[in-house]
Amino acid sequence: MLNRKKTQIAIILAVLAAICPAAERPREPVSIIPQPVSIEYDDGCFQIGPETHVIAENEAAMEASKLIDALAPAMGFKLALTNASQRRRGSITLELEKGPFKLGGEGYMLRITPRRILIRAKKPAGLFYGIQTLRQLLPEQIFSKTKAEGVKWKVLCVRITDYPRFGWRGLLVDPARHFIPKQDLMRFIDIMALHKFNSLQVHLTDDQGWRLEIKRYPKLTRTGAWMDFTTMRHGDEAKGAGDKRPGGFYSQDDIREIVKYAAEHYISILPEIEMPAHTGAAIISYPEIGLYPDKLSALPAEKRWNANERVLAPRPKTVEFMQNVLTEVMELFPNKYIHIGGDEANIGHWKNSEEMQAQKHQMGLKDEAELHSWFIRQMDSFLSRHGRRLVGWDEILQGGLAPGATVMSWRGQQGGITAANAGHDVVMAPTSHTYFDYYQGPSGKEPKAIGGNLPLEKVYGFEPIPRDIAAEKVGHVLGVQGQLWGEFISNTPHLEYMAYPRAAALAEIGWSPQASRDYKNFLTRLRCHLSRFDAVAVNYRKLD
Ligand code: ACM
């Protein structure tokens, strides 16, 4: 199989040598990441020039405008947009298929002949992904933000058929630990879109900061968005940060802008509002949702962040508070899914609380795990009543999984296996293969990270569907997500360093057929892909 592929590539390269002058020839026939389902090569090239028209109508015209805007800075000219009645040779046509289409809502066909380029899809998302592929077929200078002089904008004649393996292809960022300015988030979205990711989980709340304006509870950001100490480090005590209080938050207008920008890139923002733990910032802002409100308000400010062990008191009033927060979250985020965290709750603290013990007995709950489950179920039924779906980390399995819950499996894949076999949807996000806050090389040679070891090749070897999921249940695996927890990621260049190229590998796991997985081939394409990163100034980690 591999030999046949090699022979095919050798033949293609020989044919290309005959067609296109050497200087314009790519190193491989084409280097697309994630690898498309099928690529067939035809003779010749198509050259885009100032005279090339883009033909599209209605919804397709929206995508055409994005294509024109994406090409203009590097090409130094803006292609004209026309409608189908002015069909002409030498054009790029974007078409939405009205009849049956086998490639799904995100799939597309891309056909390039010496006369024209045609992208056809059922939905605008498919056109958008076809455009991402077309950008990668062009010389890498197309990614330059300024005019690239002397480049011939040639693309090889190909027939590409493409669609994703999974419908959930995500990354997570963590502005709670280190705030990420809005513009940086948008840049991150640009690079995600190039890799055909379609979901960005934003970890909006944690012990170190509450980053989302909630009108009903203004202290969440007035108090909770500004820390009294520098970010936590290994073993460090909370440090006083002097006059400079680090932090920040997204106003509701910021969020609307981010959500709209992401949607234009076919990326859904998945908001994560942590509960019942990782809630330190919420508790110092509103001590009444914590276990010992009176004790907390007696503490000096910097101590409050660590008090109450940052776990909510799951009393009915706290449920109401968090549901009120979720009401505003639902107004801001159109995503069907809302993430409520659910991880790493030190429920032992409920054992030590007389009030929580009394509540547990009164509710007839067996133990603290059932109290945890009861609390999560309150959120699940609330979100379901509003037509949304709850997502939580795999700890939400403890004490019984809420009926509508989707599980994000992070402590390995077992949580995902259990949930899928029980008929729940899951997203695979295990530390073993998708924690991009882990070291990607020998720890002595890398910038300080949280720990772990996750080199590129290991990411590429990830298989999101474990054998232990029953055949009829594998459809419950919605897809994959890579995590960029922010404890040790304090700025955007470092975020990009931790994300890429590992996220490029994960993009391929999420999109490309399992049968096409070939690490050597990926590395060859990646080398070409890195020059695209250079053109956009992505601060990726160099290959070993
Ligand atoms: C997690 O890493 N605590 C989900």
Side-chain angles (χ1 to χ4, degrees):
M1 177 65 196
L2 218 62
N3 275 339
R4 210 178 77 205
K5 206 168 197 173
K6 274 189 193 147
T7 317
Q8 275 176 349
I9 289 172
I11 292 170
I12 290 158
L13 286 171
V15 171
L16 289 177
I19 304 162
C20 298
E24 292 153 18
R25 228 162 41 227
R27 272 152 277 179
E28 274 284 292
V30 295
S31 291
I32 300 164
I33 293 178
Q35 176 80 337
V37 172
S38 140
I39 310 178
E40 291 169 276
Y41 296 90
D42 292 320
D43 291 348
C45 307
F46 178 93
Q47 184 165 340
I48 301 176
E51 72 293 344
T52 306
H53 279 60
V54 181
I55 300 173
E57 289 181 326
N58 305 323
E59 277 182 297
M62 299 275 292
E63 301 314 313
S65 300
K66 292 180 204 166
L67 169 66
I68 292 166
D69 290 343
L71 301 183
M75 287 186 173
F77 49 81
K78 237 179 144 154
L79 304 181
L81 175 62
T82 56
N83 61 34
S85 61
Q86 292 160 293
R87 195 177 282 270
R88 58 168 78 205
R89 283 175 59 162
S91 61
I92 303 172
T93 303
L94 306 187
E95 259 176 24
L96 284 173
E97 179 65 60
K98 295 199 182 70
F101 189 73
K102 290 207 182 93
L103 308 179
E106 296 187 307
Y108 65 92
M109 279 167 28
L110 168 59
R111 177 92 205 260
I112 303 178
T113 70
R115 297 220 173 92
R116 72 162 176 158
I117 296 176
L118 170 65
I119 304 177
R120 181 175 286 154
K122 185 73 190 166
K123 298 255 164 97
L127 294 179
F128 182 81
Y129 292 133
I131 288 169
Q132 302 317 310
T133 298
L134 176 59
R135 292 171 76 201
Q136 295 194 28
L137 290 169
L138 282 157
E140 68 248 17
Q141 293 92 333
I142 196 62
F143 291 92
S144 168
K145 293 270 180 270
T146 54
K147 186 169 182 223
E149 300 290 347
V151 181
K152 291 211 170 81
W153 302 109
K154 285 188 176 184
V155 280
L156 296 176
C157 290
V158 288
R159 276 168 290 151
I160 292 178
T161 304
D162 203 12
Y163 53 88
R165 180 177 175 201
F166 293 107
W168 188 306
R169 304 177 303 278
L171 292 178
L172 171 151
V173 290
D174 176 11
R177 268 55 177 267
H178 281 101
F179 185 63
I180 304 173
K182 179 177 69 178
Q183 293 307 329
D184 292 12
L185 218 44
M186 289 173 167
R187 174 182 160 84
F188 194 77
I189 286 168
D190 290 341
I191 304 163
M192 282 180 76
L194 178 65
H195 297 88
K196 304 184 174 89
F197 281 107
N198 65 359
S199 174
L200 175 59
Q201 179 168 342
V202 185
H203 184 73
L204 286 164
T205 67
D206 211 302
D207 298 326
Q208 296 83 0
W210 183 285
R211 307 298 180 206
L212 175 66
E213 179 189 20
I214 298 294
K215 302 275 191 203
R216 189 172 177 139
Y217 302 118
K219 284 192 282 180
L220 285 171
T221 45
R222 204 182 294 149
T223 304
W226 308 97
M227 287 195 293
D228 296 298
F229 56 94
T230 54
T231 309
M232 291 159 74
R233 299 279 166 191
H234 283 310
D236 285 3
E237 291 301 310
K239 287 196 191 89
D243 291 340
K244 201 163 165 287
R245 284 162 43 103
F249 67 92
Y250 306 110
S251 70
Q252 295 206 346
D253 281 342
D254 287 339
I255 291 294
R256 279 185 273 270
E257 210 180 313
I258 293 164
V259 165
K260 178 169 180 284
Y261 188 80
E264 285 163 6
H265 293 74
Y266 294 95
I267 290 173
S268 302
I269 302 289
L270 174 67
E272 182 184 4
I273 306 294
E274 273 274 18
M275 61 187 95
H278 291 278
T279 41
I283 293 173
I284 67 148
S285 309
Y286 290 92
E288 64 268 32
I289 60 177
L291 281 169
Y292 309 107
D294 296 336
K295 182 180 141 198
L296 186 69
S297 46
L299 290 171
E302 72 279 4
K303 292 240 172 81
R304 284 179 217 158
W305 291 85
N306 287 315
N308 270 348
E309 299 303 329
R310 311 183 197 104
V311 64
L312 297 176
R315 57 178 86 85
K317 278 271 177 215
T318 307
V319 169
E320 189 186 320
F321 183 101
M322 295 313 282
Q323 289 179 343
N324 288 337
V325 168
L326 291 181
T327 296
E328 292 191 36
V329 168
M330 286 188 286
E331 281 162 16
L332 290 168
F333 297 91
N335 200 333
K336 177 170 84 170
Y337 296 98
I338 305 285
H339 202 304
I340 53 76
D343 58 319
E344 298 181 312
N346 193 343
I347 55 180
H349 290 288
W350 297 341
K351 219 181 177 93
N352 300 331
S353 150
E354 273 176 33
E355 182 198 356
M356 287 306 113
Q357 289 306 301
Q359 181 180 322
K360 186 185 79 178
H361 290 306
Q362 191 238 326
M363 288 176 162
L365 301 172
K366 189 170 87 225
D367 55 18
E368 286 65 39
E370 285 197 357
L371 185 53
H372 188 273
S373 170
W374 173 83
F375 180 77
I376 301 294
R377 279 166 200 260
Q378 302 315 301
M379 302 303 149
D380 180 48
S381 57
F382 181 76
L383 290 171
S384 294
R385 281 202 298 283
H386 291 85
R388 307 296 181 101
R389 299 282 307 270
L390 175 145
V391 187
W393 300 108
D394 56 56
E395 285 93 332
I396 65 172
L397 283 152
Q398 66 181 322
L401 193 51
T406 294
V407 171
M408 218 169 238
S409 193
W410 75 279
R411 298 174 300 173
Q413 287 180 278
Q414 189 53 51
I417 293 166
T418 305
N421 283 335
H424 285 259
D425 287 345
V426 306
V427 176
M428 290 298 187
T431 52
S432 58
H433 293 83
T434 67
Y435 266 47
F436 300 157
D437 55 337
Y438 284 11
Y439 285 104
Q440 49 196 320
S443 61
K445 295 191 172 157
E446 292 290 322
K448 197 167 165 79
I450 197 152
N453 177 33
L454 181 52
L456 179 66
E457 185 167 5
K458 186 159 186 206
V459 178
Y460 196 78
F462 180 43
E463 173 45 46
I465 301 188
R467 282 201 203 96
D468 295 343
I469 295 183
E472 73 278 13
K473 305 286 190 191
V474 295
H476 286 297
V477 180
L478 303 181
V480 293
Q481 182 173 280
Q483 281 51 244
L484 288 145
W485 296 109
E487 288 94 332
F488 292 84
I489 301 179
S490 62
N491 56 55
T492 284
H494 194 51
L495 179 68
E496 292 178 356
Y497 179 88
M498 298 305 277
Y500 293 100
R502 290 183 292 188
L506 187 70
E508 193 143 313
I509 306 303
W511 181 282
S512 308
Q514 190 191 15
S516 72
R517 213 77 72 68
D518 175 342
Y519 187 59
K520 269 202 177 137
N521 177 278
F522 171 72
L523 278 185
T524 308
R525 283 178 287 119
L526 183 60
R527 287 197 185 91
C528 179
H529 197 64
L530 295 181
S531 53
R532 296 175 191 135
F533 285 163
D534 287 331
V536 210
V538 172
N539 185 41
Y540 61 90
R541 182 190 182 272
K542 304 277 181 293
L543 298 181
D544 291 321

